[in-house]
């Protein structure tokens, strides 16, 4: 099983490198995508690229030296692998939280969104989450207990905040949809009916575009949750019960599923985000 997970991480790593490099190139080459929401997505893509470029090859080497019984190199590689994987996992987790908060603010700030959510503030937020991810990773080598506490704090604060944001977003979207469906009936007797219809069409288009962006982020969050759930359950089990051969096998398989998330994300981006899909098509002529 250890050999199988090591071998699987080779193609998964190449997929993560190629797919995320393509997405990064598409974002940076298109000025129209230089917006706070895409900068947050870019940070998530960068963390996925680092997983494919650094973590997955490191995992393969780590397992190779374990099989060859070279425990000195195995321990050094295990330390590096643990530091990188924990740092990048934390960054990815916080990135998804920021992307969700961005969609929440876009709805509730409305006209004030562009003045409040600026590129400067977005870059600062991205810098902070990368520092938090690196710091949390370093803490594990200083105080293991505090590391578990800080990791649990990140997880158990992020998940409720994300779920509340989505609940509020879809609740408001449903209410606005009902208002829009009723509005044309109220406007039929007004003299400026054509102008009102045009405004309603514009509002419908804006809301439809926003709803698509929210659904896209929800798919990203859903994939992230599905990939991390087996690993989280395994870690909880290992903290409560005694480790065994089956537990170790489950741990490595679930860890590979976590790393697989970085390879699948670019597919979700191109599938659900039309602007990004078009930008990728311009880079790869074969898709035009």
């Amino acid at each position: 099983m250890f050999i199988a997970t090591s071998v699987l991480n080779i193609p998964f790593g190449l997929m993560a490198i190629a797919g995320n490099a393509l997405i990064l190139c598409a974002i940076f080459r298109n000025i129209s995508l230089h917006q706070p929401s895409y900068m947050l997505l870019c940070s998530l893509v960068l963390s996925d690229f680092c997983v494919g470029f650094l973590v997955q090859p490191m995992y393969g080497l780590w397992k190779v030296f374990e099989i060859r019984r070279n425990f000195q190199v195995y321990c050094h590689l295990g330390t590096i692998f643990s530091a990188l994987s924990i740092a990048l996992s934390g960054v990815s987790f916080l990135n998804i939280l920021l992307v969700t908060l961005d969609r929440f603010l876009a709805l509730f700030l409305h006209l004030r969104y562009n003045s409040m959510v600026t590129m400067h503030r977005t870059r600062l937020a991205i810098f902070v989450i990368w520092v938090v991810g690196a710091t949390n990773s370093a803490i594990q080598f200083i105080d293991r207990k505090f590391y578990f506490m800080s990791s649990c704090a990140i997880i158990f604060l992020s998940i409720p905040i994300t779920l509340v944001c989505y609940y509020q977003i879809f609740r408001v979207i449903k209410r606005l949809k009902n208002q829009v469906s009723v509005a044309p009936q109220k406007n039929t007797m007004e003299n400026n009916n054509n102008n009102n219809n045009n405004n309603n069409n514009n509002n419908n288009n804006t809301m439809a575009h926003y709803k698509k962006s929210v659904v896209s982020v929800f798919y990203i969050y859903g994939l992230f949750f599905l990939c991390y759930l087996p690993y989280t359950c395994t870690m909880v089990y290992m903290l409560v019960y005694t480790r065994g051969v089956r537990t170790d096998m489950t741990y490595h398989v679930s860890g590979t599923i976590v790393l697989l998330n970085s390879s699948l994300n670019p597919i979700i981006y191109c599938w659900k985000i039309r602007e990004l899909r078009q930008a990728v098509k311009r880079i790869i002529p074969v898709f035009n």
Side-chain angles (χ1 to χ4, degrees), residues 262-276:
S262 298
S263 305
L264 297 178
N265 274 338
I267 299 174
I268 298 294
Y269 303 149
C270 291
W271 174 37
K272 300 302 298 182
I273 306 176
R274 183 173 59 87
E275 294 85 356
L276 201 52

Side-chain angles (χ1 to χ4, degrees), residues 63 96 109 123 177 183 206 218 271 283:
K63 292 291 104 183
I96 290 178
L109 292 178
R123 293 191 188 101
K177 184 178 179 181
T206 302
F218 188 76
W271 174 37
I283 295 175

Side-chain angles (χ1 to χ4, degrees), residues 138-207:
I139 288 174
Q140 68 172 316
F141 302 110
I142 302 172
D143 189 335
R144 193 75 175 174
K145 184 177 180 180
F146 187 76
Y147 156 72
F148 278 114
M149 291 174 60
S150 62
S151 297
C152 288
I154 292 174
I155 293 171
F156 290 111
L157 284 175
S158 298
I159 292 177
I161 292 173
T162 302
L163 293 177
V164 168
C165 285
Y166 276 115
Y167 171 75
Q168 292 293 335
I169 287 170
F170 284 111
R171 187 174 66 85
V172 172
I173 288 176
K174 184 178 180 180
R175 189 182 74 231
L176 292 175
K177 184 178 179 181
N178 292 335
Q179 290 177 353
V180 169
S181 63
V182 173
Q185 298 176 9
K186 292 183 179 180
N187 291 333
T188 53
M189 301 302 293
E190 297 182 5
N191 293 327
N192 57 347
N193 186 46
N194 292 332
N195 291 333
N196 288 328
N197 286 337
N198 290 334
N199 290 334
N200 288 330
N201 289 335
N202 291 333
N203 291 334
N204 288 342
N205 291 335
T206 302
M207 184 53 62

Side-chain angles (χ1 to χ4, degrees), residues 14 68 77 86 89 92 136 158 191 267 276 280:
L14 294 174
R68 296 184 64 178
L77 289 176
I86 289 172
S89 295
S92 297
N136 190 53
S158 298
N191 293 327
I267 299 174
L276 201 52
V280 170

